Amino acid sequence: MMEFDPTLKNIIDKRSLKWIFVGGKGGVGKTTTSSSLAVQLSQHRENVLIISTDPAHNLSDAFNQKFSKTPQLVNGFTNLFAMEIDPTVEEEQPSTAASTKSSELGMIQELAMSIPGIDEAMSFAEVLRLVKSMEFETVVFDTAPTGHTLRLLTFPSVLEKGMGKLSHMRGQMSGILSQLSSMMGSGMNIDDMQAKIESTQAVIEEVNKQFKDPALTTFVCVCIPEFLSIFETERLVQELYKFEMDTQNIVINQVLYPDPDCPCKLCLARAKMQQTYIDQVYELYDLFHVVKMPLLPYEIRGVDQLKEFSKMLVEGHTPGR
């Protein structure tokens, strides 16, 4: 049987990868893993962007640096950038000058936003548009827990369907809206609206195609050796197959390696329990790169500790060292 390298070196070596998602159950070390992977990628790519899509952001805590919704250079790097976004629509209060135009667009906006998921999808589309315009060589997504992540991955298809409906509505209502615009003497331009819809749709179609291309996109599943986490990982892998998204790496964090010179009953019992679930992972994912990362006596915070942790992702961990 073919043995797969128990590291993430395959991701580093695959220079064609543009989009790398890192996800799993809450509390399994997704942010530490994605941040460490981004640190390693920065040593082999021209520029790298790591994006947190989890509303409860942890990137700022991991790097000990405050990030915002625009890319910022990470301290200590020349080519690693980070940003934290919430893929939900931010409602802005219109200015007085724009209030008339906004009210006239209210009907079409209400119709548009009635499409399930379209609001979050539109926000995510704007983020992707921003990212693409900056031309980062590789983008790493530090995703929210599994349920949120799976919804995030549906956004491209939601937008494709939503944009089609918007175009159809525009065709049916363009005459009415044009008459209203001329009667009220406003500057609302239906063609401009259609152009924006079409340009957004073009971005989404391209990104959706890239997300399903294993040469450009991959998903790294992160878990810990416990029942609920392994169960969630199986669910995630199955859903990723449905989305036609490549996944061939699993990181198992918090693996306990008892000290043979100082045996502890609790440690030995936990290690035995963990090994049961680790064996299940190897049995279920025999064609995956399975990376075991040790439980450490301290939290991984700050660039120096992330760099140390990241070495184990690509070089492997030797117990006792």
Side-chain angles (χ1 to χ4, degrees):
M1 184 178 69
M2 182 185 298
E3 290 189 6
F4 289 81
D5 181 27
T7 72
L8 295 186
K9 192 172 182 298
N10 65 96
I11 291 179
I12 306 297
D13 293 341
K14 196 170 182 179
R15 297 298 299 252
S16 65
L17 283 174
K18 169 73 175 176
W19 314 97
I20 301 170
F21 290 82
V22 179
K25 191 177 183 296
V28 298
K30 296 184 299 296
T31 298
T32 300
T33 302
S34 60
S35 300
S36 299
L37 179 57
V39 166
Q40 280 295 317
L41 285 165
S42 70
Q43 300 174 24
H44 302 272
R45 303 291 192 273
E46 184 176 343
N47 50 30
V48 177
L49 173 65
I50 179 168
I51 302 177
S52 170
T53 62
D54 188 345
H57 298 299
N58 292 311
L59 272 188
S60 294
D61 295 326
F63 284 101
N64 279 337
Q65 179 182 346
K66 183 63 179 174
F67 299 118
S68 64
K69 60 182 180 181
T70 56
Q72 290 177 246
L73 185 65
V74 177
N75 294 336
F77 295 86
T78 59
N79 65 339
L80 177 59
F81 297 79
M83 63 187 288
E84 296 179 330
I85 63 160
D86 185 356
T88 55
V89 169
E90 297 178 6
E91 295 186 8
E92 299 178 356
Q93 294 298 323
S95 63
T96 304
S99 61
T100 303
K101 187 173 180 179
S102 296
S103 63
E104 290 165 3
L105 287 171
M107 181 169 62
I108 192 73
Q109 286 175 337
E110 275 192 42
L111 286 170
M113 292 307 167
S114 68
I115 300 169
I118 194 70
D119 50 355
E120 289 180 308
M122 283 292 289
S123 178
F124 189 56
E126 289 303 314
V127 172
L128 292 177
R129 188 196 297 275
L130 172 67
V131 170
K132 283 180 64 63
S133 69
M134 294 182 177
E135 297 184 348
F136 287 98
E137 186 174 356
T138 305
V139 179
V140 179
F141 288 92
D142 173 36
T143 69
T146 307
H148 295 280
T149 300
L150 294 176
R151 194 172 76 246
L152 182 76
L153 295 178
T154 66
F155 286 173
S157 59
V158 167
L159 270 173
E160 280 195 78
K161 294 176 183 176
M163 289 302 174
K165 290 182 180 180
L166 283 176
S167 295
H168 181 65
M169 283 192 292
R170 186 264 181 184
Q172 289 185 324
M173 301 180 65
S174 59
I176 298 172
L177 292 172
S178 295
Q179 287 179 27
L180 283 173
S181 178
S182 60
M183 285 170 59
M184 301 178 72
S186 74
M188 183 172 65
N189 191 317
I190 306 301
D191 291 329
D192 287 347
M193 185 190 299
Q194 178 69 9
K196 177 69 180 293
I197 289 173
E198 290 177 352
S199 65
T200 302
Q201 189 169 9
V203 170
I204 291 306
E205 286 175 352
E206 181 186 352
V207 169
N208 197 20
K209 187 177 180 181
Q210 289 184 9
F211 280 2
K212 295 180 179 181
D213 185 346
L216 297 173
T217 304
T218 194
F219 198 111
V220 179
C221 300
V222 183
C223 64
I224 57 176
E226 295 181 4
F227 172 76
L228 288 177
S229 182
I230 301 302
F231 180 80
E232 192 92 337
T233 301
E234 174 63 8
R235 173 192 168 207
L236 177 58
V237 170
Q238 293 299 326
E239 290 296 324
L240 289 172
Y241 282 142
K242 291 180 184 177
F243 286 121
E244 301 176 53
M245 182 175 282
D246 175 75
T247 179
Q248 50 186 298
N249 292 274
I250 293 179
V251 176
I252 308 176
N253 281 326
Q254 302 179 24
V255 176
L256 184 61
Y257 293 96
D259 185 348
D261 298 325
C262 186
C264 156
K265 286 186 178 180
L266 176 61
C267 296
L268 292 173
R270 292 288 298 180
K272 183 178 180 181
M273 178 207 73
Q274 286 190 349
Q275 191 58 50
T276 300
Y277 294 115
I278 291 171
D279 290 342
Q280 287 182 15
V281 171
Y282 281 122
E283 184 178 347
L284 284 168
Y285 309 108
D286 56 330
L287 300 180
F288 280 59
H289 298 268
V290 177
V291 187
K292 295 193 296 181
M293 300 296 285
L295 177 66
L296 299 172
Y298 53 86
E299 287 183 297
I300 308 297
R301 292 192 65 184
V303 171
D304 291 338
Q305 290 184 345
L306 285 171
K307 285 181 176 179
E308 285 300 312
F309 192 80
S310 73
K311 288 179 183 177
M312 289 189 283
L313 281 177
V314 295
E315 297 175 2
H317 169 68
T318 303
R321 284 180 56 184

